[in-house]
């Protein structure tokens, strides 16, 4: 008896109406065939809905569709347009994610060279917790006529580079199209700033426009690898000595997904990409999660020194998203132990963007930019190396305030990537798990999958040591190993204290004596 009343249950009513309408109009046409031309569209609608409801009932993939045939599709439709509805009708100017409406607007306005001013003052609650502001001077200096440049290169660097404070962040060829690479490098040349290649290699499209280039290599050593995937010094030297390459950068990890490797599926490895990366075409291109050229802090510093030597004395440095604080301190100890210092270090905040990454990595792994910058600055002050090492910052840097904040926290130059995506029309409407920018549908042929493989996160997953003397002991022995009893490093890990430099000096006090 219950089955007989199912067609009249509220969740089955749309299906019942569609079936009844189809049968009714089919019967009417059989009686009066002359009405067919007038009723064709109505019959098609009812029959289409009836067919859709029948498919919903017999499929086994979605329980919602089986329980609510036809009407459940309205739920999927609303879910699909939900981000746009939220952004266009409910989101305010200041608190949208991943970028507020105001920040998107100012990128568009300044790119088009149109009015970007605002009336009536800020919309922020300036007394709310977490509000950020800068202290100004009542005696400002005259407007600068020369471009802001930062000299990069320590005493071991034969070819120092005077970099802009504003540069293009690492985005690989393959993650971006040839035309995008051409456009970015042409912009770098016109604007007088540097273009980071990303770890996908120094492609022919980077060379076409002649803009300054920072060549980044990761754990895949694309463009400078042997057949087995190991680092090839000869190939590295042949590329790194090109006049267009101004600095060489080693990627340890990326903010959006530190410690995550990547695979570019064989179908994506075209002959063009294979030639640029030095991999066989038509086979999976794997970017490991760890480096094979080094495994300890001391070996890392020696590798940085070798990169500098092979490039002909150009500035050499590394990029990372800080995770365990003692890992970075171990690297600082290794600098003192080997007397080899990088010319620059790029701190990538965990809020940085990526083509695709697991949700756990994007949301919860790695240190945010502000904390990472402060920590790195304090650590370098603590070992007396801050003056010779420039710090770069990357991660959701869009406006001049973002640049000033990064520089106030210890950064000397910044890199930006998402601002370019926004200006290029990749509208940051976040759609998970369906769309990245602008299309977050993650399937084997999508941009997300391609970027996950092509960007290839080269994170050095090495075991570091904790604490003050523990770090020094293990650096002397050339080991990343963690001590059995971790030593807490204390308050100097907290950014913003005026005594932070003294805390680092105390924490690292034994290094120079060694």
């Amino acid at each position: 008896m219950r089955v007989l009343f199912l067609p009249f249950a509220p969740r089955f009513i749309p299906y019942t109406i569609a079936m009844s309408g189809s049968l009714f109009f089919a019967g009417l046409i059989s009686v009066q065939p002359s009405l067919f031309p007038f009723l064709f569209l109505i019959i098609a609608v009812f029959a289409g809905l009836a067919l859709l409801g029948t498919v919903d009932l017999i499929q086994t993939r979605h329980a919602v569709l089986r329980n609510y045939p036809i009407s459940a599709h309205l739920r999927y439709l609303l879910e699909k347009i939900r981000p746009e509805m939220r952004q266009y009708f409910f989101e305010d100017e200041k608190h949208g994610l991943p970028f507020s409406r105001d920040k998107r607007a100012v990128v568009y306005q300044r790119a088009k060279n149109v009015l970007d001013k605002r009336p009536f003052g800020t919309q922020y609650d300036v007394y709310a917790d977490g509000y950020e502001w800068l202290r100004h001077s009542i005696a400002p200096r005259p407007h600068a006529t020369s471009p802001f440049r930062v000299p990069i290169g320590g005493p071991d660097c034969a070819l120092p580079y005077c970099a802009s404070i504003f540069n293009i962040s690492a985005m690989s060829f393959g993650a971006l199209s040839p035309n995008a690479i051409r456009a970015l490098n042409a912009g770098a040349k016109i604007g007088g700033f540097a273009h980071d290649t990303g770890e996908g290699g120094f492609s022919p499209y980077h060379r076409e426009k002649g803009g300054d280039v920072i060549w980044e290599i990761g754990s895949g050593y694309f463009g400078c690898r042997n057949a087995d995937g190991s680092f090839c010094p000869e190939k590295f030297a042949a590329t790194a000595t090109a006049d267009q390459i101004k600095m060489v950068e080693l990627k340890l990890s990326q903010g959006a997904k530190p410690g995550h490797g990547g695979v570019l599926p064989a179908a994506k490895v075209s002959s063009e990409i294979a030639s640029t990366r030095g991999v066989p075409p038509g086979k999976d291109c794997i970017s490991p999660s760890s480096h094979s050229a080094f495994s300890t802090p001391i070996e890392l510093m020696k590798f940085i020194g070798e990169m500098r030597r092979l490039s002909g004395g150009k500035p050499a440095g590394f990029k990372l998203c800080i995770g365990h604080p003692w890992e970075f301190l171990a690297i600082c100890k290794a600098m003192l132990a080997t007397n080899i210092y990088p010319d620059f270090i790029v701190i990538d905040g965990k809020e940085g963007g990526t083509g695709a990454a697991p949700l756990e990595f994007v949301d919860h792994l790695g240190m945010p930019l502000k904390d990472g910058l402060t920590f790195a600055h304090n650590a370098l002050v603590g070992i007396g190396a801050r003056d010779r090492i420039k710090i770069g910052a990357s991660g959701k840097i869009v406006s001049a305030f973002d640049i000033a904040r990064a520089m106030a926290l210890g950064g000397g130059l910044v890199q930006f990537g998402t601002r370019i995506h926004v200006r290029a029309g990749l509208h940051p409407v976040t759609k998970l798990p369906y769309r990245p920018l602008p299309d977050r549908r993650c399937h084997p042929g999508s941009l997300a999958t391609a970027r996950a493989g092509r960007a290839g996160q080269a994170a050095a997953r090495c075991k570091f040591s904790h604490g003050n003397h523990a770090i020094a002991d293990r650096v002397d022995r050339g080991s990343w190993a963690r001590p059995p009893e971790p030593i807490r490093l204390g308050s100097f890990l907290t950014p913003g204290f005026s005594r932070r430099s003294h805390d680092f000096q105390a924490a690292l006090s034994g290094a120079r004596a060694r």
Side-chain angles (χ1 to χ4, degrees), residues 379-393:
L380 295 177
V381 169
I383 64 170
R386 184 63 185 88
D387 292 338
R388 66 185 296 171
I389 300 176
K390 296 298 188 292
I391 297 180

Side-chain angles (χ1 to χ4, degrees), residues 294-316:
F294 55 87
S295 59
T296 68
I298 287 179
E299 290 177 0
L300 169 60
M301 287 300 102
K302 291 180 178 178
F303 189 76
I304 294 290
E306 184 70 358
M307 288 174 61
R308 185 189 294 122
R309 183 188 69 81
L310 292 171
S311 66
K314 295 178 180 179

Side-chain angles (χ1 to χ4, degrees), residues 7-237:
F8 304 101
R11 59 194 178 99
F12 287 109
I13 287 294
Y15 181 57
T16 302
I17 293 174
M19 290 294 293
S20 302
S22 300
L23 295 175
F24 171 77
F25 286 107
L28 186 60
I29 293 298
S30 65
V31 175
Q32 295 286 339
S34 59
L35 296 176
F36 180 77
F38 305 100
L39 300 178
F40 172 76
L41 185 60
I42 298 176
I43 294 174
V45 171
F46 276 99
L49 290 175
L51 179 62
L52 177 64
T54 303
V55 172
D56 289 343
L57 281 175
I58 63 177
Q59 60 85 35
T60 58
R61 184 180 178 86
H62 299 287
V64 174
L65 293 177
R66 284 176 65 90
N67 290 323
Y68 298 88
I70 302 178
S71 60
H73 289 279
L74 181 62
R75 177 232 185 188
Y76 291 108
L77 174 64
L78 294 175
E79 187 179 62
K80 185 172 184 176
I81 64 174
R82 174 178 172 269
E84 287 86 356
M85 296 292 290
R86 181 180 66 246
Q87 184 182 45
Y88 297 142
F89 297 106
F90 305 109
E91 179 184 286
D92 66 16
E93 265 65 35
K94 296 295 185 183
H95 299 98
L97 295 174
F99 286 93
S100 68
R101 184 179 182 85
D102 261 2
K103 283 195 173 183
R104 296 195 303 271
V106 81
V107 169
Y108 298 140
Q109 290 161 351
R110 291 175 180 173
K112 298 173 183 177
N113 199 26
V114 298
L115 186 67
D116 63 344
K117 306 303 185 287
R118 302 287 192 276
F120 301 118
T122 182
Q123 296 184 32
Y124 281 117
D125 179 1
V126 298
Y127 297 104
D129 292 339
Y131 174 73
E132 297 175 314
W133 55 285
L134 298 174
R135 296 177 180 175
H136 67 284
S137 171
I138 60 172
R141 296 184 179 183
H143 182 73
T145 56
S146 58
F148 294 140
R149 312 294 292 187
V150 179
I152 300 178
D156 300 325
C157 185
L159 298 172
Y161 175 59
C162 200
S164 169
I165 65 168
F166 197 51
N167 303 282
I168 300 175
S169 190
M171 292 177 284
S172 300
F173 167 58
L176 299 184
S177 70
N179 283 339
I181 297 294
R182 289 189 186 104
L184 292 180
N185 198 258
K189 185 174 180 62
I190 294 170
F193 42 87
H195 178 194
D196 195 315
T197 65
E199 70 163 317
F202 182 46
S203 73
Y205 307 106
H206 290 97
R207 308 171 196 261
E208 285 186 13
K209 302 300 180 179
D212 291 350
V213 164
I214 303 171
W215 185 25
E216 178 184 279
I217 64 170
S219 61
Y221 307 115
F222 299 127
C224 56
R225 57 185 273 147
N226 295 309
D228 61 356
S230 60
F231 178 72
C232 178
E234 293 78 15
K235 292 181 181 179
F236 177 84

Side-chain angles (χ1 to χ4, degrees), residues 255-390:
K257 45 182 177 182
H260 190 274
V263 178
L264 182 61
K268 301 285 186 179
V269 184
S270 65
S271 58
E272 192 175 41
I273 292 175
S275 175
T276 298
R277 298 194 175 197
V279 298
K283 294 185 178 180
D284 289 345
C285 180
I286 298 174
S287 184
S289 59
S290 61
H291 278 270
S292 60
F294 55 87
S295 59
T296 68
I298 287 179
E299 290 177 0
L300 169 60
M301 287 300 102
K302 291 180 178 178
F303 189 76
I304 294 290
E306 184 70 358
M307 288 174 61
R308 185 189 294 122
R309 183 188 69 81
L310 292 171
S311 66
K314 295 178 180 179
F318 61 89
K319 178 179 82 172
L320 82 164
C321 175
I322 293 179
H324 294 303
W326 55 86
E327 296 179 345
F328 190 80
L329 296 181
I331 295 174
C332 292
K333 288 284 191 175
M335 296 178 195
L336 296 171
T338 61
N339 200 32
I340 299 174
Y341 295 84
D343 298 298
F344 65 93
I345 299 173
V346 177
I347 303 299
D348 202 15
K350 73 114 1 353
E351 62 268 44
T354 183
L359 184 64
E360 296 84 356
F361 282 70
V362 170
D363 285 346
H364 302 293
L365 204 63
M367 189 178 290
L369 178 60
K370 289 183 283 187
D371 296 328
L373 266 181
T374 306
F375 180 83
H377 167 78
N378 293 341
L380 295 177
V381 169
I383 64 170
R386 184 63 185 88
D387 292 338
R388 66 185 296 171
I389 300 176
K390 296 298 188 292

